[in-house]
Each structure stands twice: as C-alpha cells, then as structure tokens.
Amino acid sequence: MRLLLAFIAGGLFGSGLLISGMTDTRKVQGWLDVFGAWDPTLAFVMGGAIVPMAVAWRFTRRGAPLAGGSYPAPPDPVLDRRLVVGSILFGMGWGLAGLCPGPSIASLSYGGSGGLVFLAAMIAGMALAPAVGRALGGVRA
Amino acid sequence: MEQDWLWGLAGGLLIGLGAAVYLLGNGRIMGASGIIGGLVDRSGWSSWAERVVFLAGVFLLPLLLVPLLDREAATHLTGNAAVVIAAGVLVGIGTRIANGCTSGHGVCGISRLSPRGIVATLIYIFAGGATLLALRHGLGVI
C-alpha cells in the first residue's frame, strides 16, 4: 500500500514536471531572469500545485494517513542560518543551470549526458552537505 | 508558445495532486531533495523502499509520456560541463542544508503557510535571479 501510493505520487509529480515544462531549463531560467525575455510559466505551475495541497493540508487536521502512521508535525516557525545560507546556495545553483532536484530525476530519460552529470554532482553535494552544515555551526543560529 | 501557461497550470495541478497523495496516503511531505538526500546520507534509510519507489515513478512516467507528447521534451541544459557540475553541487549542498527545495519548501511549505517554506522560496528565487543577472547580463558567461 505504502509503496503503491509512493509510486502513484512520484508518477503524478514526474508527469506534472514534464507537462508543465519545468524540466526545460530555459523556462526555469526564463522565470528567474527578469531582465531577459521573462517567462511567467513557473508561477502558474507553483499556483496550480499549491491549490490541491492547500486542500490536502486541511484534511490533516484530524484522522491519520491512509497507509497508517501520522501526519507531519506543524510547521517549524524558526528561521535559522542554515535555512538562509542553504537557500542562497540552492538558488545560485538553480539559476546557473535551471534544474532542481525533482526535474533532474524526471528528465533523466531525455536529458542526455548533461542531466546525468548534474545528478551525479547534486548527489556529491548532498553527500558533502553534513560537513558543510557542521562548518556553519549549530542547527539554530 | 501561447498555451505555455495552461500547460504550466495543468502540470502544476498534477504536481500538487502527487504531493497530496504522498501526504494523505503516506503521511509524508513530498520534497524531492529530502527524498533523494535521505538515501544519499542514509538519514532516511528506514524508509528506503518508499523513497526508491517514489523516485522510480518520477523517472518512469515522463519516460512513458514523452512519446505521446506533441511537443519536444528537451532540457536545453547548458553544454558547459563546469557550469553543470557547479550547479549540481550547489543544489545538492544548498537543498540539504536548507532542508528543502522547490517541492518541499515551495509546493508543500507555501500551501500550509509555513514561514520557513515561504522565506526559503523567496530567498532561492532571489538568489537564482541575482545569479542570472550577474553571470548572464553582467559577465555574459552563462
């Protein structure tokens, strides 16, 4: 059950990334590049994705997930240095290539060798992250 | 294309539905960087099968859908290997330190009005825009 639901969720996610154009780095960089030929598509994608999720979060106020377990804890209100520094680094990489983690997987079958190189570099970065995080100091700034 | 926003909205709804299935079905937040990163650093090893199956869905459905699409499916990723590697490393480190990316902080965080999700999204969009401004329009290197 858990695995079937995870596959369905991943399939919907991957299909949505492909159909929306978010695996096309030109469209992502076009959204970020307000001084170039600005492309508003990403705002429609984000808006479209937030609607079902806003409804879904309402259902988590009572009951339990279909496959058992419990719903995630309420959002953490603490804004720390890790969130800020990490998001700056992520944004720089996102702007450089126009790929983020979801689309890097969704586009693997048609993204060519460059996509594989990006994924390998991203995995290396993820492996390095705990050491970089320690250098940044504690979890709370 | 003229209808790009409509495809964007339709694709966005599918992304949101996927996130809703993961949340209401498995009780988990659909964050791509967390799902991948938990396998890389083994912090999410106890749920490895769920993560692998999710990622298999993310990979396989586009593979099956591309031939049915009337548009080309191309990433148009830069051919500059140094840029690709630098971008990948930055995305990997940044998303794990910030504990989320476009799907976790963006889609899942904003939709529950999470302060961390909203702040992270504003920061990474601004950082991405500033990077393009500096390197594309300033130095002209990407």
Side-chain angles (χ1 to χ4, degrees), chain B residues 13-99:
Chain B
L13 284 168
L14 288 177
I15 293 168
L17 275 177
V21 168
Y22 211 46
L23 177 65
L24 299 177
N26 291 7
R28 296 203 186 275
I29 291 174
M30 191 194 76
S33 61
I35 293 168
I36 303 166
L39 292 172
V40 173
D41 64 19
R42 303 260 175 144
S43 62
W45 206 247
S46 60
S47 52
W48 68 271
E50 188 179 56
R51 292 163 189 267
V52 168
V53 167
F54 174 88
L55 293 172
V58 178
F59 166 75
L60 281 174
L61 264 289
L63 171 72
L64 298 172
L65 284 176
V66 162
L68 308 175
L69 219 61
D70 62 345
R71 298 169 294 152
E72 53 146 11
T75 57
H76 297 118
L77 184 66
T78 172
N80 185 330
V83 169
V84 172
I85 290 169
V89 170
L90 283 167
V91 168
I93 293 176
T95 54
R96 289 305 278 161
I97 288 179
N99 203 22

Side-chain angles (χ1 to χ4, degrees), chain A residues 28 39 57-58 73 82 92 105 125 129:
Chain A
V28 174
D39 186 332
W57 281 117
R58 293 190 157 264
R82 293 173 62 104
M92 288 168 64
I105 304 286

Side-chain angles (χ1 to χ4, degrees), chain A residues 22-119:
Chain A
M22 290 299 102
T23 61
D24 185 345
T25 61
R26 281 186 196 165
K27 296 198 75 63
V28 174
Q29 290 186 322
W31 152 264
L32 292 170
D33 187 7
V34 288
F35 296 95
W38 190 62
D39 186 332
T41 308
L42 191 143
F44 288 95
V45 180
M46 196 52 103
I50 283 170
V51 171
M53 270 308 279
V55 176
W57 281 117
R58 293 190 157 264
F59 282 97
T60 65
R61 287 178 185 169
R62 59 182 69 88
L66 208 59
S70 53
Y71 287 123
D76 180 354
V78 180
L79 307 172
D80 55 19
R81 186 165 47 192
R82 293 173 62 104
L83 184 80
V84 174
V85 174
S87 296
I88 290 173
L89 296 177
F90 164 44
M92 288 168 64
W94 195 37
L96 267 180
L99 275 179
C100 52
S104 75
I105 304 286
S107 66
L108 267 184
S109 57
Y110 54 88
S113 56
L116 279 172
V117 172
F118 179 88
L119 180 66

Side-chain angles (χ1 to χ4, degrees), chain B residues 105-138:
Chain B
H105 279 318
V107 174
C108 298
I110 293 175
S111 61
R112 75 193 303 207
L113 300 177
S114 153
R116 286 173 59 86
I118 293 168
V119 168
T121 302
L122 289 173
I123 292 174
Y124 62 66
I125 286 177
F126 184 80
T131 302
L132 276 168
L133 177 63
L135 298 184
R136 179 172 285 176
H137 299 289

